[in-house]
Amino acid sequence: MKLAYVHDDSESLADNFVIQLSDGKHKILKTISVNITPVNDEKPTLSKKAEISMTMGDTRVLSSAVLSAIDKDSPRETIHYLFERLPQNGQLQLKIGRDWVPLSAGMQCTQEDVDLNLLRYTHTAKMDSQDGDSFTFYLWDGDNRSPAFDCHIIIEDSGKGDIVIHAKPLVVAKGDRGFLTTASLLAVDGTDKPEELLYLITSPPRYGQVEYIRYPGVPITSFSQMDIAGQTVCYIHKSRAAVSSDSFRFTVSNGLQTQHGVFEITLETVDRALPVVTRNKGLRLAEGAVGLLSADHLQLTDPDTPPENLTFLLAQLPRHGYLYLRGKVLQHNFTQQDVDSRGVAYQHSGGGSWEDCFTFLATDRKNQGFVVDGKTRKEPVLFTIQVDQLDKEAPRITRLHSPSQVGLLKNGCYGIYITSHVLKASDPDTEDDQIIFKILRGPLHGRLENTTSGEFIHERFSQKDLGSKTILYIINPSLQVNSDILEFQVMDPTGNTATPQSLELKWSYIEWFQTEYEVCENVGLLPLEVTRRGYSMDSAFVGIEVNQVSAVVGKDFTVMPSKLIQFDPGMSTKMWNIAITYDGLEEDDEVFEVILNSPVNAVLGTKTKAAVKILDSKGGRCHPSNSFNQSKHSTWGKGIWHPHSPPGSSSLTTAGSPHLERGPPPSSTKGDALQGFDPTDLSQRAMRTHGNGKSVPPSSVCRNGTDTIYNYHGIVSLKLDGGSFSAHKGKAKISIVSQPQKTIKVAEQPLADKVESTTDSHFPRQGQLPLFPKNCSVELKGLFHFEESIHRLYLCDGITWKVWSPQTKGLEDKSCPAGWHLYSGYCHTLVTQRKGTWTSATRACREQHQGNLVTIFSRRHMQWLWDISGRKPFWIGLKNQGRTGRWEWIGGEPVAFTNWRRGTPQHPRPGKNCVLVHKRGQWQSKNCSKGKAHNFVCSRKL
């Protein structure tokens, strides 16, 4: 048996039926449930007539009361309106977010949008058009489409005609308000709907504002004809300007038509305030002179009266002069406008009168009385005139000095301020701004500038300008001059002039004496000469900057800590020393530059950069070029020092080299003697010797400025006694040069001309050890070697070369080894090449230098060590004994001096039991075997 269920095509989605099964004796009932699958087969249709009525220019929402679609098998949000034809005389708009968006053909909306009032129609045709409008649309539920529907729009006649405006000027008192009424402003359009006639202010009034009475102080931009009829709109005058009218522009619209108009406002002057004398300072002028009365002397004000109506009535005329109004004698009155336009003047008649006056009454021509100092007055007021005795003397120069303080300006130029400290004129009858310096001839090599205005000064400046430091002389560095002259004449306003004067400006230039150096790597100390030319009676400073180029500071050369050179008054030459480091390695030549910058009270010359080329001693030889030899300056003096040349041979002569005067050679040695020089004087110059009985007189004498150079030739074994030169002024220096010919140079220098040195002559820096031509042996015992790089004389004792000086005579056997420095009976050496921890430094001092880490006995000892260390950290031999907790020197000396940074550490951290000398020579506890490696100082007892 087969059963079939047929649905009745309703919109139900479920059904059921009961089946009874029986065998004749028993029955079974079973309910069969049927789920109906929905099928969208119904077409949507309109349930209401799509038709609306509206007036011209109106906007109407198309709600569900106008457009309502139904569909039995579709919800309202799925029913869509498809617009096929749009209205011709209006516009369909759909609200999306906050905006109404015009619809175009093919666009759609849902029944839900209509239900929410999101669809509207706006009539946009001409105002006189009464034609209807319509649009065509389809309904669609996603599967089924309805036939086309038309929505008809009926345009009704609004009855509104043309707008006519009736306006009359509104009369308002100044500072008051006036109400807008239908008598002053009325608009009609043929309808009796004033609430629909709206005014829009397109140009507000200039001297007041339109506002609602119930909201005072709040300006408005629109109102209706109904507001005017209810007298709720007013105009408020707010300006103090002296005007007689005001106005505002507007448009009025009824929704269909618009009309433009202008509303005029007449401002009536109501004089309520009295005039006030706000300024009455009097007049001051010279005898017989003419003075103008300006608003700075006399001023009358009134908020409701223009200046041309504010009048001064003369009650008493001046006795010793006359008042003039635009060139005519004044007898009765004048106005504030006359004063403001500088038309009123007073002329003194001369004679012995030093005071004058006139009296006046003030009026605004409407009110009686005027205000002076807050009080109302009706009596005349006094205007005083002070007459100064005629100045017949010219200003007097009280200070005239040559300005020389040079400053580096922000724009990179150099300038000298001319102030009242160097140039001052005074006149008891003249203010500083009236004392004029007339320029007769301006500076030739620079220009004057006013720093306030930035303009060049060609004709004049005042004493006030000098006092306010606004006169600046700009130096032209390209001219390379060091002075300039300004010729001027001082005068006062009355024409009194003083005798012409000259102001000389002076300055100096600082630059390198030479710009290129070539030096051998083993030269040691290289002095660079800085010169100052021009005016040098003031102190000057210049900064030093080192540019490494290919040489490395600290590796190839060492510079002094100070990067500033000071020229004291009268000083024209300064030396700045650089230590060239000799490492004994064969390498390329190195170059670095030394640059002058940041001058103080000086101008940088053209030679601001000096290049130094370090030549490597390849194969033990170094050959600087002639360009260096011709410009090298030794600390012995200026020029070149050559060994003696035999007769007939050519010798180098260069600019700046000393001229060698020659005479007959003495019998004891080859050489030339100084012409005109007494042979007995040469014998007196011979150095005394001890032990071998030989005497070596000088072979030649050379003069170089204040220096005298004695040349000695030959190889002899000498013991020198420095006392032979005690008869000469200054300090004698002795040099024995080992190559190529043994030459002894003795130079006398006055104490005032000693070359400045930046290193301690007793303790050369590390890396400046001398290069001996031969190892000291028994055969060379008693011979001297002079190391020019560090200006040190060494004596061979048969074993080693040792430092020799007259003060150490008799102590040669107890001197420190080369590279070690003696202090308080101990020899010291600074180790910088192999830095290490405290533990490794202790081992190196003991195994390699047969000593210990240094022990420090006093503050002076500490300062001495800090200086020779180059002010860089180094290890010392102080250690905390963990068992006892005390700090002890590893050499066993007692702890008599400490220099802890923050007091003696009582309980140092584990491992921090050793001492490092750090910033400013202060001590810090550090880890003995870990951390950063540092320099260290070894010492041993002499």
Side-chain angles (χ1 to χ4, degrees):
M1 182 179 65
K2 294 184 179 179
L3 294 177
Y5 172 86
V6 179
H7 189 251
D8 61 0
D9 201 23
S10 66
E11 297 302 320
S12 61
L13 301 179
D15 204 353
N16 63 76
F17 60 92
V18 179
I19 298 177
Q20 177 179 324
L21 181 62
S22 175
D23 59 358
K25 186 177 181 178
H26 303 90
K27 296 180 181 179
I28 298 175
L29 296 177
K30 188 71 174 180
T31 300
I32 305 299
S33 298
V34 179
N35 291 326
I36 309 300
T37 301
V39 177
N40 187 9
D41 56 356
E42 296 289 340
K43 293 182 180 181
T45 183
L46 283 177
S47 62
K48 294 185 179 181
K49 183 179 180 181
E51 183 178 284
I52 58 172
S53 298
M54 57 188 301
T55 58
M56 289 185 296
D58 201 357
T59 296
R60 179 78 178 271
V61 174
L62 302 179
S63 65
S64 58
V66 179
L67 297 176
S68 180
I70 58 174
D71 191 339
K72 295 181 180 180
D73 53 11
S74 299
R76 295 176 73 83
E77 64 268 16
T78 62
I79 301 176
H80 295 264
Y81 288 83
L82 302 179
F83 299 100
E84 183 180 60
R85 184 179 60 83
L86 296 178
Q88 301 296 315
N89 299 321
Q91 189 179 70
L92 282 177
Q93 298 174 343
L94 181 64
K95 190 174 185 180
I96 301 177
R98 296 184 178 181
D99 301 323
W100 289 94
V101 180
L103 295 178
S104 58
M107 295 184 68
Q108 60 183 0
C109 70
T110 66
Q111 182 62 48
E112 185 178 27
D113 295 333
V114 176
D115 294 343
L116 295 176
N117 293 341
L118 301 180
L119 182 67
R120 73 179 184 182
Y121 170 82
T122 299
H123 183 248
T124 60
K126 295 181 180 180
M127 294 303 174
D128 57 352
S129 173
Q130 298 182 7
D131 296 337
D133 207 350
S134 65
F135 59 90
T136 303
F137 60 90
Y138 293 93
L139 296 176
W140 183 60
D141 62 4
D143 294 315
N144 303 290
R145 176 174 171 176
S146 72
F149 296 100
D150 290 327
C151 180
H152 297 279
I153 302 170
I154 301 172
I155 305 300
E156 299 176 349
D157 185 8
S158 62
K160 296 180 180 181
D162 295 336
I163 298 176
V164 178
I165 300 174
H166 302 278
K168 292 182 179 180
L170 177 65
V171 179
V172 180
K174 289 185 178 181
D176 205 347
R177 69 178 181 177
F179 294 94
L180 274 68
T181 65
T182 54
S184 58
L185 182 59
L186 176 64
V188 293
D189 62 351
T191 67
D192 191 18
K193 296 180 179 180
E195 68 276 6
E196 294 185 3
L197 288 169
L198 300 179
Y199 290 86
L200 178 65
I201 298 177
T202 58
S203 178
R206 296 179 58 187
Y207 307 108
Q209 65 186 33
V210 179
E211 61 184 43
Y212 282 118
I213 296 175
R214 58 182 177 274
Y215 299 111
V218 180
I220 60 175
T221 58
S222 64
F223 53 89
S224 68
Q225 185 65 50
M226 180 66 76
D227 296 330
I228 296 177
Q231 295 188 8
T232 61
V233 181
C234 66
Y235 166 84
I236 303 293
H237 178 249
K238 287 193 169 187
S239 176
R240 292 188 177 183
V243 293
S244 59
S245 64
D246 201 356
S247 65
F248 64 86
R249 295 181 179 274
F250 63 87
T251 61
V252 59
S253 173
N254 60 7
L256 297 178
Q257 300 188 36
T258 301
Q259 189 71 26
H260 297 270
V262 177
F263 187 70
E264 299 288 344
I265 302 163
T266 301
L267 300 175
E268 282 189 343
T269 301
V270 179
D271 194 348
R272 299 188 180 96
L274 294 176
V276 180
V277 178
T278 56
R279 191 173 291 122
N280 183 12
K281 293 185 177 181
L283 181 66
R284 182 176 181 177
L285 74 166
E287 177 186 359
V290 176
L292 291 175
L293 270 68
S294 68
D296 294 332
H297 305 107
L298 183 62
Q299 188 175 41
L300 186 65
T301 60
D302 191 339
D304 51 19
T305 306
E308 61 268 19
N309 292 334
L310 294 174
T311 306
F312 297 93
L313 303 176
L314 294 175
Q316 178 183 328
L317 295 175
R319 296 181 179 180
H320 308 291
Y322 297 94
L323 286 174
Y324 289 88
L325 178 61
R326 297 182 184 86
K328 296 182 179 180
V329 177
L330 189 58
Q331 297 289 342
H332 301 292
N333 56 68
F334 57 93
T335 66
Q336 183 63 45
Q337 188 177 26
D338 296 331
V339 176
D340 294 340
S341 61
R342 304 176 71 85
V344 181
Y346 167 83
Q347 184 176 16
H348 185 247
S349 301
S353 58
W354 310 124
E355 289 185 359
D356 203 352
C357 66
F358 64 87
T359 60
F360 63 88
L361 294 169
T363 178
D364 59 4
R365 300 183 183 180
K366 292 185 179 180
N367 298 289
Q368 295 293 324
F370 55 98
V371 178
V372 179
D373 297 331
K375 297 180 181 180
T376 303
R377 298 189 56 171
K378 294 183 179 180
E379 314 73 45
V381 175
L382 182 68
F383 182 87
T384 60
I385 302 172
Q386 182 178 348
V387 180
D388 296 332
Q389 189 175 1
L390 188 62
D391 182 13
K392 299 180 181 179
E393 294 185 1
R396 184 171 56 91
I397 298 291
T398 59
R399 189 178 299 127
L400 180 60
H401 304 301
S402 296
S404 60
Q405 295 295 320
V406 180
L408 181 60
L409 308 179
K410 292 182 179 180
N411 58 4
C413 298
Y414 297 93
I416 300 176
Y417 279 99
I418 305 176
T419 67
S420 56
H421 294 291
V422 297
L423 179 59
K424 184 175 179 61
S426 63
D427 190 343
D429 302 318
T430 310
E431 300 293 336
D432 282 355
D433 59 341
Q434 298 294 320
I435 299 178
I436 302 300
F437 291 81
K438 181 180 179 182
I439 299 176
L440 302 179
R441 186 175 68 85
L444 298 176
H445 310 304
R447 64 178 187 268
L448 292 179
E449 180 180 304
N450 188 305
T451 58
T452 301
S453 63
E455 298 179 351
F456 295 156
I457 301 174
H458 300 289
E459 297 180 356
R460 60 178 60 196
F461 55 89
S462 69
Q463 183 63 51
K464 183 179 180 181
D465 296 331
L466 295 174
S468 58
K469 196 180 179 180
T470 60
I471 307 301
L472 178 64
Y473 171 78
I474 306 296
I475 297 174
N476 186 353
S478 62
L479 299 180
Q480 292 294 303
V481 295
N482 48 47
S483 66
D484 207 343
I485 294 179
L486 170 68
E487 295 183 2
F488 63 90
Q489 190 175 32
V490 187
M491 57 188 300
D492 61 14
T494 60
N496 299 312
T497 57
T499 305
Q501 300 284 346
S502 296
L503 178 68
E504 185 177 9
L505 301 100
K506 302 177 181 179
W507 62 92
S508 63
Y509 282 85
I510 295 179
E511 61 185 358
W512 293 113
F513 182 76
Q514 64 188 72
T515 59
E516 294 182 356
Y517 291 84
E518 286 189 3
V519 295
C520 296
E521 191 179 27
N522 61 355
V523 70
L525 197 66
L526 173 64
L528 305 182
E529 183 175 350
V530 185
T531 63
R532 182 189 187 191
R533 56 183 173 84
Y535 183 76
S536 60
M537 298 312 294
D538 295 330
S539 296
F541 304 86
V542 68
I544 298 289
E545 178 186 354
V546 178
N547 184 14
Q548 300 186 78
V549 189
S550 58
V552 179
V553 63
K555 177 177 177 295
D556 299 308
F557 64 96
T558 304
V559 298
M560 60 183 296
S562 174
K563 297 297 180 64
L564 188 69
I565 294 180
Q566 175 178 344
F567 285 86
D568 294 328
M571 185 175 290
S572 61
T573 301
K574 294 285 285 189
M575 307 300 292
W576 197 73
N577 296 340
I578 293 181
I580 307 300
T581 303
Y582 177 67
D583 53 15
L585 302 176
E586 183 173 335
E587 54 190 352
D588 291 334
D589 298 340
E590 308 288 352
V591 177
F592 65 92
E593 297 173 340
V594 187
I595 303 169
L596 299 178
N597 58 19
S598 305
V600 177
N601 198 26
V603 179
L604 284 182
T606 57
K607 300 176 183 178
T608 60
K609 182 188 295 184
V612 179
K613 184 175 184 181
I614 305 174
L615 303 179
D616 186 68
S617 301
K618 298 179 176 64
R621 296 184 179 182
C622 173
H623 301 285
S625 64
N626 287 337
S627 62
F628 167 71
N629 288 336
Q630 293 176 6
S631 58
K632 178 179 178 182
H633 289 260
S634 170
T635 55
W636 299 105
K638 300 177 182 179
I640 308 172
W641 316 119
H642 301 287
H644 167 68
S645 301
S649 64
S650 60
S651 61
L652 293 175
T653 58
T654 60
S657 300
H659 177 65
L660 195 64
E661 303 179 50
R662 307 187 184 278
S667 59
S668 59
T669 181
K670 295 182 180 180
D672 298 332
L674 186 66
Q675 289 185 4
F677 197 84
D678 190 353
T680 60
D681 190 23
L682 282 175
S683 63
Q684 294 175 1
R685 302 288 181 178
M687 293 183 289
R688 287 205 307 270
T689 62
H690 302 275
N692 56 15
K694 294 184 179 180
S695 176
V696 181
S699 62
S700 64
V701 180
C702 170
R703 296 188 185 276
N704 179 31
T706 59
D707 300 341
T708 303
I709 309 300
Y710 300 91
N711 289 325
Y712 296 85
H713 296 278
I715 300 178
V716 294
S717 176
L718 297 176
K719 289 186 178 179
L720 300 182
D721 184 359
S724 358
F725 303 99
S726 59
H728 302 290
K729 295 181 180 180
K731 182 178 179 181
K733 296 186 179 180
I734 304 173
S735 170
I736 302 178
V737 182
S738 304
Q739 305 175 18
Q741 180 180 357
K742 304 297 184 264
T743 304
I744 302 175
K745 296 182 180 179
V746 181
E748 289 185 342
Q749 289 184 317
L751 291 175
D753 293 336
K754 289 193 298 181
V755 177
E756 179 185 29
S757 175
T758 60
T759 60
D760 192 325
S761 61
H762 296 293
F763 307 104
R765 295 174 182 257
Q766 188 76 10
Q768 298 181 6
L769 298 180
L771 297 177
F772 300 106
K774 295 181 180 181
N775 292 329
C776 181
S777 61
V778 178
E779 291 78 16
L780 298 180
K781 183 177 181 179
L783 291 183
F784 287 88
H785 170 80
F786 181 74
E787 182 61 34
E788 287 188 341
S789 62
I790 58 176
H791 301 166
R792 184 65 59 81
L793 189 63
Y794 291 88
L795 174 67
C796 175
D797 62 358
I799 300 176
T800 59
W801 292 98
K802 294 185 178 181
V803 178
W804 183 96
S805 69
Q807 290 75 17
T808 60
K809 182 181 179 182
L811 298 176
E812 293 91 351
D813 295 336
K814 293 186 178 181
S815 60
C816 294
W820 290 68
H821 317 310
L822 179 63
Y823 189 92
S824 191
Y826 283 80
C827 295
H828 304 72
T829 183
L830 174 67
V831 180
T832 60
Q833 299 297 326
R834 297 182 180 180
K835 301 179 180 181
T837 63
W838 188 92
T839 302
S840 63
T842 303
R843 185 169 55 252
C845 286
R846 185 174 58 252
E847 296 176 358
Q848 301 177 19
H849 301 285
Q850 292 75 48
N852 286 316
L853 278 177
V854 65
T855 297
I856 302 176
F857 299 103
S858 63
R859 184 171 301 279
R860 183 174 296 180
H861 190 192
M862 179 67 252
Q863 184 61 44
W864 178 82
L865 286 170
W866 185 241
D867 290 338
I868 71 168
S869 70
R871 301 181 179 272
K872 295 182 179 180
F874 61 91
W875 294 111
I876 61 175
L878 191 64
K879 183 177 182 182
N880 183 277
Q881 303 300 331
R883 297 177 181 177
T884 63
R886 296 195 304 269
W887 293 91
E888 298 178 0
W889 295 108
I890 60 174
E893 297 86 354
V895 180
F897 167 78
T898 60
N899 193 34
W900 294 103
R901 181 183 178 188
R902 296 179 179 174
T904 305
Q906 299 298 328
H907 303 286
R909 296 180 182 178
K912 289 193 172 183
N913 297 323
C914 299
V915 179
L916 177 74
V917 177
H918 209 255
K919 295 180 180 179
R920 297 186 294 276
Q922 295 177 334
W923 299 359
Q924 285 185 335
S925 60
K926 295 288 185 180
N927 194 295
C928 298
S929 57
K930 297 180 181 179
K932 184 178 178 181
H934 293 284
N935 301 337
F936 54 92
V937 177
C938 299
S939 68
R940 66 189 187 195
K941 200 162 186 178
L942 182 62

